[in-house]
Amino acid sequence: MTVPLSPAPENDDLDHPRSDKAESRLKRSLTTISVSVLPVVAAIIVGGLLLLVLGRNPFLFYSNVISHGLIGSLGRQESLIRMAPLLLLAAGLMVAFPAGIWNLGGDGQFVLAGVVVAALGPQMAPYTNGWILFPVLFVVAFAVGAAWSIVPGIMKAWLGMNEIITTLMATFLGLRLSALLVKEFFADPSTTVPQTKVLPVKDRLPRIFGTRVNIGLVIGIVAILGVHYMMTRTAFGLRLRIVGMNPAAAVHAGMNMKALTMSIFLISSGLAGMAAAVQIVGVDGVVRAEWNPAFGFTIVPLVFLARFNGPAVIGFVGAFAVLQIGGEWASRQADLPNYFVVVLVALMLLFLAVSEYLQSRSVRAGER
Amino acid sequence: MTDILSTVFLASLLSGGVISAVPLIYAGLGEAISERSGVLNLGLEGMMVAGAYAGFVATLNSGSIWFGLFVGGIAGLVVSLFMVGLCVYLNADQIVVGIALTLGATGVTALLHSAQYSKSYPRLPKAGVLSIPLLSKIPVVGVGLFSQHASTYLVLVLVAGAMWFFRSTRIGLNIKAAGDQPHALEAAGGNPRRTRTVAVMTAGFLAGVGGAHIALIGAGLFVPGVTNGAGDIGIVLAMLARGKLWWIVAGAGLIGVSLSLTTALQLIGLNIPIDAVQMLPFLLIIVVLFIFGRDSYLPAALCLPYDREAR
C-alpha cells in the first residue's frame, strides 16, 4: 500500500515567506503547549472528582501535593533527587519511541541493573575511589540494562516479533531473576532481611552545593539533552526517526534496519540500566528482594505528553516527580494507597488521546 | 512412598495448572478476537483487573459465583468502551490508550478496594466444582482435569464456538476483514468501525470474566495485582495462536502448569528457590516465541486506526 506523501505540518515554514514564519512558529508552540497542558488540567479535575467520590477533599489533597513536593525544602529536594532516575529512563524512551520501537521492558532492565550495581558497589568501594567506582558502576549498569534487551532486540530485528510482548515478558523474567539473585547470591549474610550489602554513604554520588541532591540530577539532564541533540541534529537521529515514521522508506533508502533496530534496543535499555545506577549509587545504596519502584512503566506517558522533546521531557519529569513525592505524602495524609498518582497519569494519557484528536481535526479543517 | 508423592504432586500440578490456565484462555480468546479486527488491546490487563474487582464485589454481596463472573464481564466491557471510543472512533494510538487503561483500572480498583475493604480484607468461600461423572474418577488426572468449576468447561465451549464463528458467520468474516483490509470491508458494504466495536467489546467482556475467574475461583479474594500479568500473557497467547484458536488453549495449559509448579513443588517439600521456578513460564514464553515467533501471523491493519478519508 502506498501512502501519498503530503508535506508534514512541521515543514510548512519552508513554503511561507519570512514574515509569516515567526507567527506560525508562535502559533505552533501555542498549540503544542495546549495539547500537552490541557490533558494535565483535565486529569487533575477528573482526579479531583474521584477524590470526592472517595470522600476526600480534593483541594486539601492537591495543596498537600504542592506544599510537600514543591514548596517544602525537604520535599523539593526529594523531588529533585527523584528526577534523576526518571530522566535517564525517559532519555531511553526518547531514543526508542520516535523510532517506533516500543521498549516497555524498562522496569526489568532497571531492576536487574540495580541489583548488579548494588551487589558490585560495596565489594569495590573499599579498594577504589569515586573516580573509578562511579564510571565502572555506570558502565556495568548500562551493560546489564542493554544485555536484558538483546533477546527482544534480536527477535524484533530478525524475526519481526512484536517487541511489546517480548519486552514485557523480559520484564517479568528480569524481576524474578533479580529477586533470585538478591536472595540466593548477593544476600548480605549479616542480616536476615533478603537484601544486598549496603553501599556506605561516603561512597555514594557526591551532592550538589551542600544540598541533599546528588549529581545524578545533572547526569539525567545531560542524558536528556544529549538524546535530544542526537535525535534532532545528527544523521543517526534522523535515521532513527525515519525508521519510526516510515520503515519501508528506510529500507528503500538502504538503511541497515537490523543494525539500527539493535542499536535502538541497546541504547534505550542501557539508559534504563544507568537510571538504576543513579538510584542505587545516589540514593538507596541497597536493593531488597522484590524491589520494583515501577518507574519504567509510569514514565511512558510523560514522554508522550512531552512529544519526545527534550526540554519538555525535563519539565514533565519535574512535575511528575513533584506529583510522586508530594502525592506519596498527600496519600498518606488522606489515608489512601499510593495508587492515586497512577490514576492521574492514566487520566492524562486518555485526555492526551482526546486532545490529539481535536488537534488533528482542526488541522484537517484548516487544510480545507 | 515415591509414588504417593508423585501422585500428590501430579494432581496438585494439574488442578492448579487448570485454575491458572482458564483465565489465560478467556483473556487470550478475547485478545485474539480484538486483534483479528485490527485492534491491539494492551488494555487487556486493565479489563481483567476491573473484572476481578467487580466480580469480587458482586460475589461477596450476592454469594453467587456466576453472578460475579457476569458482573466481572460487564466491568471489562465498560473499560473496553474507552478503547472503542478513543481508538476506534477518535483514531487514538492503541498502544497509548491500552497502557492508560491498564494503569487506570489498576489504580482505580486499588483505591476502591482500600476504601471499602482495607479494614476487613474479606475472603470468598471456596468455589464449588462440577465433577464430570466417570471422567473425574480417573486416577491422578481425573480430579485435576474433570473436577473444576463449570466456568472451566464453559471457556472451552466458547473457544470452539469462536472457531465456528470465525469460519462460518458473516460477523466473524467481517471481523477478519476489518483487521486485514478495512477499506475492502467498507467497499463491500460492511462497517469497519462497528465491526471493531463489537470485537473490542467482546474482548473486554471475556477479559473481565477471566479476571473475575482469577479473583473468585483462583484466589478467592481481591488484592491489587491479583491478576499478576495474566492480561499480558493473554496477549502473547493470542499472538502465538496465529488465528488458530486451539493454540490458545494449549499455550495456556502449558503456562498454567508451569505457574502452578511452585505450589506443587512446595507441597512435596522440594526446596527449590521459588523465584527460579516462577521464572519458568516467562522463560517458556520467550523460548516458544523464539521458535514459533517467525510464523506468527498478525492482521495487516493491526494497530492502524480506520480512517475513511485517508486512502
Side-chain angles (χ1 to χ4, degrees), chain B residues 29-48:
Chain B
L29 179 62
E31 181 71 19
I33 295 171
S34 171
E35 279 180 15
R36 270 298 180 81
S37 80
V39 180
L40 176 67
N41 189 352
L42 276 189
L44 203 68
E45 178 81 9
M47 293 165 198
M48 293 192 85

PDB file of all heavy atoms in Angstrom, chain B residues 29-48:
ATOM      1  N   LEU B  29      -8.483 -15.551  24.247  1.00  0.00           N
ATOM      2  CA  LEU B  29      -9.571 -15.606  23.263  1.00  0.00           C
ATOM      3  C   LEU B  29     -10.073 -14.194  22.953  1.00  0.00           C
ATOM      4  O   LEU B  29     -10.249 -13.827  21.789  1.00  0.00           O
ATOM      5  CB  LEU B  29     -10.709 -16.477  23.805  1.00  0.00           C
ATOM      6  CG  LEU B  29     -11.932 -16.629  22.902  1.00  0.00           C
ATOM      7  CD1 LEU B  29     -11.552 -17.289  21.596  1.00  0.00           C
ATOM      8  CD2 LEU B  29     -13.017 -17.444  23.603  1.00  0.00           C
ATOM      9  N   GLY B  30     -10.275 -13.410  24.021  1.00  0.00           N
ATOM     10  CA  GLY B  30     -10.733 -12.040  23.809  1.00  0.00           C
ATOM     11  C   GLY B  30      -9.743 -11.248  22.977  1.00  0.00           C
ATOM     12  O   GLY B  30     -10.110 -10.572  22.010  1.00  0.00           O
ATOM     13  N   GLU B  31      -8.476 -11.360  23.339  1.00  0.00           N
ATOM     14  CA  GLU B  31      -7.453 -10.614  22.610  1.00  0.00           C
ATOM     15  C   GLU B  31      -7.386 -11.073  21.161  1.00  0.00           C
ATOM     16  O   GLU B  31      -7.205 -10.264  20.251  1.00  0.00           O
ATOM     17  CB  GLU B  31      -6.093 -10.792  23.296  1.00  0.00           C
ATOM     18  CG  GLU B  31      -4.951 -10.034  22.641  1.00  0.00           C
ATOM     19  CD  GLU B  31      -5.028  -8.521  22.839  1.00  0.00           C
ATOM     20  OE1 GLU B  31      -5.729  -8.078  23.762  1.00  0.00           O
ATOM     21  OE2 GLU B  31      -4.399  -7.797  22.055  1.00  0.00           O
ATOM     22  N   ALA B  32      -7.540 -12.380  20.929  1.00  0.00           N
ATOM     23  CA  ALA B  32      -7.487 -12.882  19.555  1.00  0.00           C
ATOM     24  C   ALA B  32      -8.596 -12.255  18.719  1.00  0.00           C
ATOM     25  O   ALA B  32      -8.378 -11.848  17.574  1.00  0.00           O
ATOM     26  CB  ALA B  32      -7.605 -14.405  19.554  1.00  0.00           C
ATOM     27  N   ILE B  33      -9.787 -12.142  19.312  1.00  0.00           N
ATOM     28  CA  ILE B  33     -10.904 -11.546  18.577  1.00  0.00           C
ATOM     29  C   ILE B  33     -10.616 -10.076  18.291  1.00  0.00           C
ATOM     30  O   ILE B  33     -10.807  -9.583  17.179  1.00  0.00           O
ATOM     31  CB  ILE B  33     -12.209 -11.707  19.385  1.00  0.00           C
ATOM     32  CG1 ILE B  33     -12.550 -13.202  19.504  1.00  0.00           C
ATOM     33  CG2 ILE B  33     -13.351 -10.942  18.752  1.00  0.00           C
ATOM     34  CD1 ILE B  33     -13.682 -13.495  20.453  1.00  0.00           C
ATOM     35  N   SER B  34     -10.116  -9.364  19.310  1.00  0.00           N
ATOM     36  CA  SER B  34      -9.822  -7.948  19.147  1.00  0.00           C
ATOM     37  C   SER B  34      -8.720  -7.733  18.105  1.00  0.00           C
ATOM     38  O   SER B  34      -8.823  -6.872  17.236  1.00  0.00           O
ATOM     39  CB  SER B  34      -9.416  -7.372  20.504  1.00  0.00           C
ATOM     40  OG  SER B  34      -8.923  -6.080  20.373  1.00  0.00           O
ATOM     41  N   GLU B  35      -7.664  -8.542  18.186  1.00  0.00           N
ATOM     42  CA  GLU B  35      -6.559  -8.389  17.232  1.00  0.00           C
ATOM     43  C   GLU B  35      -7.018  -8.722  15.817  1.00  0.00           C
ATOM     44  O   GLU B  35      -6.593  -8.083  14.860  1.00  0.00           O
ATOM     45  CB  GLU B  35      -5.381  -9.293  17.629  1.00  0.00           C
ATOM     46  CG  GLU B  35      -4.519  -8.688  18.713  1.00  0.00           C
ATOM     47  CD  GLU B  35      -3.353  -9.587  19.105  1.00  0.00           C
ATOM     48  OE1 GLU B  35      -3.042 -10.532  18.351  1.00  0.00           O
ATOM     49  OE2 GLU B  35      -2.767  -9.344  20.168  1.00  0.00           O
ATOM     50  N   ARG B  36      -7.860  -9.736  15.694  1.00  0.00           N
ATOM     51  CA  ARG B  36      -8.379 -10.087  14.375  1.00  0.00           C
ATOM     52  C   ARG B  36      -9.046  -8.892  13.707  1.00  0.00           C
ATOM     53  O   ARG B  36      -8.977  -8.715  12.491  1.00  0.00           O
ATOM     54  CB  ARG B  36      -9.414 -11.204  14.512  1.00  0.00           C
ATOM     55  CG  ARG B  36      -8.866 -12.591  14.435  1.00  0.00           C
ATOM     56  CD  ARG B  36      -8.235 -12.800  13.098  1.00  0.00           C
ATOM     57  NE  ARG B  36      -7.672 -14.110  12.935  1.00  0.00           N
ATOM     58  CZ  ARG B  36      -8.360 -15.199  12.618  1.00  0.00           C
ATOM     59  NH1 ARG B  36      -9.665 -15.127  12.481  1.00  0.00           N
ATOM     60  NH2 ARG B  36      -7.759 -16.335  12.461  1.00  0.00           N
ATOM     61  N   SER B  37      -9.711  -8.069  14.525  1.00  0.00           N
ATOM     62  CA  SER B  37     -10.436  -6.933  13.961  1.00  0.00           C
ATOM     63  C   SER B  37      -9.523  -5.733  13.751  1.00  0.00           C
ATOM     64  O   SER B  37      -9.973  -4.697  13.268  1.00  0.00           O
ATOM     65  CB  SER B  37     -11.591  -6.539  14.878  1.00  0.00           C
ATOM     66  OG  SER B  37     -11.105  -5.759  15.949  1.00  0.00           O
ATOM     67  N   GLY B  38      -8.240  -5.862  14.137  1.00  0.00           N
ATOM     68  CA  GLY B  38      -7.299  -4.777  13.895  1.00  0.00           C
ATOM     69  C   GLY B  38      -7.010  -3.904  15.099  1.00  0.00           C
ATOM     70  O   GLY B  38      -6.387  -2.865  14.972  1.00  0.00           O
ATOM     71  N   VAL B  39      -7.460  -4.307  16.282  1.00  0.00           N
ATOM     72  CA  VAL B  39      -7.197  -3.506  17.474  1.00  0.00           C
ATOM     73  C   VAL B  39      -6.306  -4.302  18.428  1.00  0.00           C
ATOM     74  O   VAL B  39      -6.718  -5.331  18.955  1.00  0.00           O
ATOM     75  CB  VAL B  39      -8.502  -3.111  18.193  1.00  0.00           C
ATOM     76  CG1 VAL B  39      -8.193  -2.280  19.430  1.00  0.00           C
ATOM     77  CG2 VAL B  39      -9.411  -2.346  17.260  1.00  0.00           C
ATOM     78  N   LEU B  40      -5.071  -3.818  18.598  1.00  0.00           N
ATOM     79  CA  LEU B  40      -4.176  -4.422  19.579  1.00  0.00           C
ATOM     80  C   LEU B  40      -4.588  -3.911  20.944  1.00  0.00           C
ATOM     81  O   LEU B  40      -4.452  -2.732  21.232  1.00  0.00           O
ATOM     82  CB  LEU B  40      -2.718  -4.045  19.282  1.00  0.00           C
ATOM     83  CG  LEU B  40      -1.694  -4.533  20.288  1.00  0.00           C
ATOM     84  CD1 LEU B  40      -1.588  -6.040  20.241  1.00  0.00           C
ATOM     85  CD2 LEU B  40      -0.342  -3.910  20.052  1.00  0.00           C
ATOM     86  N   ASN B  41      -5.115  -4.799  21.760  1.00  0.00           N
ATOM     87  CA  ASN B  41      -5.737  -4.371  23.003  1.00  0.00           C
ATOM     88  C   ASN B  41      -4.769  -4.522  24.162  1.00  0.00           C
ATOM     89  O   ASN B  41      -4.790  -5.514  24.875  1.00  0.00           O
ATOM     90  CB  ASN B  41      -6.993  -5.214  23.224  1.00  0.00           C
ATOM     91  CG  ASN B  41      -7.818  -4.713  24.368  1.00  0.00           C
ATOM     92  OD1 ASN B  41      -7.396  -3.816  25.101  1.00  0.00           O
ATOM     93  ND2 ASN B  41      -8.983  -5.270  24.539  1.00  0.00           N
ATOM     94  N   LEU B  42      -3.917  -3.503  24.373  1.00  0.00           N
ATOM     95  CA  LEU B  42      -2.977  -3.572  25.503  1.00  0.00           C
ATOM     96  C   LEU B  42      -3.672  -3.252  26.819  1.00  0.00           C
ATOM     97  O   LEU B  42      -3.062  -3.328  27.874  1.00  0.00           O
ATOM     98  CB  LEU B  42      -1.834  -2.589  25.297  1.00  0.00           C
ATOM     99  CG  LEU B  42      -0.666  -3.037  24.435  1.00  0.00           C
ATOM    100  CD1 LEU B  42       0.456  -2.031  24.533  1.00  0.00           C
ATOM    101  CD2 LEU B  42      -0.179  -4.402  24.827  1.00  0.00           C
ATOM    102  N   GLY B  43      -4.948  -2.872  26.743  1.00  0.00           N
ATOM    103  CA  GLY B  43      -5.693  -2.619  27.973  1.00  0.00           C
ATOM    104  C   GLY B  43      -6.250  -3.890  28.583  1.00  0.00           C
ATOM    105  O   GLY B  43      -7.004  -3.842  29.559  1.00  0.00           O
ATOM    106  N   LEU B  44      -5.873  -5.040  28.007  1.00  0.00           N
ATOM    107  CA  LEU B  44      -6.441  -6.316  28.444  1.00  0.00           C
ATOM    108  C   LEU B  44      -6.246  -6.545  29.949  1.00  0.00           C
ATOM    109  O   LEU B  44      -7.170  -6.960  30.644  1.00  0.00           O
ATOM    110  CB  LEU B  44      -5.782  -7.460  27.658  1.00  0.00           C
ATOM    111  CG  LEU B  44      -6.579  -8.744  27.569  1.00  0.00           C
ATOM    112  CD1 LEU B  44      -7.813  -8.548  26.730  1.00  0.00           C
ATOM    113  CD2 LEU B  44      -5.729  -9.863  26.979  1.00  0.00           C
ATOM    114  N   GLU B  45      -5.034  -6.237  30.420  1.00  0.00           N
ATOM    115  CA  GLU B  45      -4.747  -6.405  31.849  1.00  0.00           C
ATOM    116  C   GLU B  45      -5.684  -5.523  32.682  1.00  0.00           C
ATOM    117  O   GLU B  45      -6.214  -5.969  33.698  1.00  0.00           O
ATOM    118  CB  GLU B  45      -3.282  -6.041  32.111  1.00  0.00           C
ATOM    119  CG  GLU B  45      -2.846  -6.110  33.558  1.00  0.00           C
ATOM    120  CD  GLU B  45      -2.522  -7.518  34.012  1.00  0.00           C
ATOM    121  OE1 GLU B  45      -2.471  -8.428  33.160  1.00  0.00           O
ATOM    122  OE2 GLU B  45      -2.337  -7.714  35.224  1.00  0.00           O
ATOM    123  N   GLY B  46      -5.907  -4.298  32.210  1.00  0.00           N
ATOM    124  CA  GLY B  46      -6.814  -3.398  32.929  1.00  0.00           C
ATOM    125  C   GLY B  46      -8.235  -3.940  32.966  1.00  0.00           C
ATOM    126  O   GLY B  46      -8.921  -3.862  33.984  1.00  0.00           O
ATOM    127  N   MET B  47      -8.671  -4.517  31.831  1.00  0.00           N
ATOM    128  CA  MET B  47     -10.016  -5.087  31.786  1.00  0.00           C
ATOM    129  C   MET B  47     -10.124  -6.279  32.731  1.00  0.00           C
ATOM    130  O   MET B  47     -11.155  -6.497  33.360  1.00  0.00           O
ATOM    131  CB  MET B  47     -10.348  -5.488  30.351  1.00  0.00           C
ATOM    132  CG  MET B  47     -10.462  -4.265  29.441  1.00  0.00           C
ATOM    133  SD  MET B  47     -10.416  -4.651  27.684  1.00  0.00           S
ATOM    134  CE  MET B  47     -10.013  -3.020  27.029  1.00  0.00           C
ATOM    135  N   MET B  48      -9.040  -7.057  32.836  1.00  0.00           N
ATOM    136  CA  MET B  48      -9.062  -8.191  33.759  1.00  0.00           C
ATOM    137  C   MET B  48      -9.111  -7.719  35.205  1.00  0.00           C
ATOM    138  O   MET B  48      -9.836  -8.282  36.032  1.00  0.00           O
ATOM    139  CB  MET B  48      -7.827  -9.070  33.550  1.00  0.00           C
ATOM    140  CG  MET B  48      -7.806  -9.765  32.205  1.00  0.00           C
ATOM    141  SD  MET B  48      -6.546 -11.057  32.083  1.00  0.00           S
ATOM    142  CE  MET B  48      -7.417 -12.455  32.783  1.00  0.00           C
TER     143      MET B  48
END
